[in-house]
Structure formats: C-alpha cells, structure tokens
C-alpha cells in the first residue's frame, strides 16, 4: 500500500526510457485531470449544501439525481461536522463511480451473459458481480485508494 508501480512495454518505442517518458506524461496529465474533476465535485457538494441551507424549500418535491443524493446524505451532519475531509471523500466516491462506470457495465453484462457466451470463458461470474458491487459501494474505502484505482484505469485508457 502506497507503493504503486505501472510498467509499460512497447515494440514501437525505441527504449525503456522513451516508454517511461510517455507513461510519465500520460500519468501526469491524468492526475491533473482527475484532481480538477474531484475539486469541481467538492465545489458542487458544497454548493448543494449551501443551497439547501439558504433555501430548504427549493429542493423539496424535486427528484434528486445521484450526485445530489450523495450530497444530501450528509445533511444529517451539522455544519461543524461537514469538513473538507468528508467533502473530499464524498467527491472522490462520485468521481470513482463515474470513472469506472464502463467497467461496472462490462462486469454486469458478462456476468449476466448466457453460459455458452464467449465473453464468459474463463471468468468467475461471482467475482465480476463482487467487483461491480465494490465500485458502487465505495463509501467505506479510503479516498486515496479510490483515486489510484480511477487513475490506473484512466492511464490504461490514455496509453491504450
């Protein structure tokens, strides 16, 4: 924990140094993008809290979207308990789910495919369902772990 390594090998790049440079560039870019998304989600959580505090009737009767319901979950807390850490944790949970939503969809699709389907070959369907559930139910996992998981997927997508 805390020591994460990504290795890139290529038949098209001339050396390991060049692979390392490309990987570093992709990783740096994805970290910056992910941090911006998390910061914007923190701002959205705080804006929703402020809106409810100043105009509690404005959101009554309206169906809450997923992010708004996440922010609303904290409403049982007093303002003093709504710290930057809890806002960051909630924001990271939302960004993690958004980033891995394609993976969740794939897990659910494969685990529900018919027995003869080629996409099921060699895969444990219960493990796929468990992985999908872990992404959706990520509130008990530390925000830094969620950040790294989202980052690894983003870097793989960026490099690939």
């Amino acid at each position: 924990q805390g020591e994460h390594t990504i290795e890139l090998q290529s038949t098209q790049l001339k050396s390991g140094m060049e692979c390392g440079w490309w990987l570093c560039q992709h990783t740096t870019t994805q970290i910056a993008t992910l941090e911006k998304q998390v910061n914007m989600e923190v701002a959205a959580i705080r804006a929703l809290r402020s809106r409810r505090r100043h105009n509690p009737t404005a959101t009554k009767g309206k169906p809450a979207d997923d992010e708004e319901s996440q922010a609303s979950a904290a409403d049982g807390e007093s303002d003093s308990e709504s710290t930057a850490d809890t806002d960051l944790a909630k924001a990271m949970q939302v960004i993690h789910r958004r980033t891995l939503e394609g993976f969740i969809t794939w897990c659910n699709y494969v685990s529900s495919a018919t027995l003869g389907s080629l996409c099921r070959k060699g895969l444990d369907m219960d493990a796929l369902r468990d992985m999908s559930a872990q992404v959706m139910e990520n509130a008990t996992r530390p925000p830094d772990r969620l950040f790294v998981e989202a980052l690894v997927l983003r870097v793989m997508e960026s490099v690939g």
Side-chain angles (χ1 to χ4, degrees), residues 104-149:
I104 295 167
T105 302
W106 178 81
C107 286
N108 292 334
Y109 171 77
V110 172
S111 65
S112 66
T114 61
L115 288 175
S117 176
L118 292 176
C119 65
R120 291 180 63 121
K121 189 174 183 175
L123 297 174
D124 181 349
M125 299 307 114
D126 290 331
L128 288 176
R129 284 185 210 96
D130 289 344
M131 285 187 272
S132 174
Q134 285 177 14
V135 173
M136 291 304 296
E137 300 162 8
N138 61 10
T140 60
R141 296 170 53 213
D144 56 338
R145 177 68 183 211
L146 300 178
F147 187 90
V148 169
E149 288 177 9

Side-chain angles (χ1 to χ4, degrees), residues 46-141:
R46 291 176 180 165
L48 286 169
R49 182 183 310 115
S50 177
R51 183 171 127 194
R52 283 189 305 275
R53 185 172 44 238
H54 295 313
N55 190 3
T57 59
T59 57
K60 280 188 180 174
K62 288 185 180 178
D65 63 9
D66 210 22
E67 284 80 22
E68 190 170 347
S69 63
Q70 286 291 317
S72 297
D75 265 358
E77 304 170 348
S78 68
D79 288 338
S80 63
E81 293 172 350
S82 296
T83 64
D85 288 343
T86 58
D87 289 347
L88 178 63
K90 289 175 195 149
M92 195 59 241
Q93 291 162 16
V94 170
I95 297 301
H96 180 262
R97 280 191 298 271
R98 281 189 199 149
T99 302
L100 278 84
E101 68 186 353
F103 175 71
I104 295 167
T105 302
W106 178 81
C107 286
N108 292 334
Y109 171 77
V110 172
S111 65
S112 66
T114 61
L115 288 175
S117 176
L118 292 176
C119 65
R120 291 180 63 121
K121 189 174 183 175
L123 297 174
D124 181 349
M125 299 307 114
D126 290 331
L128 288 176
R129 284 185 210 96
D130 289 344
M131 285 187 272
S132 174
Q134 285 177 14
V135 173
M136 291 304 296
E137 300 162 8
N138 61 10
T140 60
R141 296 170 53 213

Side-chain angles (χ1 to χ4, degrees), residues 16-42:
M17 294 278 291
E18 191 175 354
C19 281
W21 182 85
W22 278 107
L23 183 59
C24 182
Q25 297 306 308
H26 282 273
T27 303
T28 302
T29 300
Q30 293 304 325
I31 287 171
T33 302
L34 206 50
E35 285 176 342
K36 287 177 189 174
Q37 290 175 322
V38 171
N39 287 333
M40 292 309 297
E41 190 62 34
V42 167

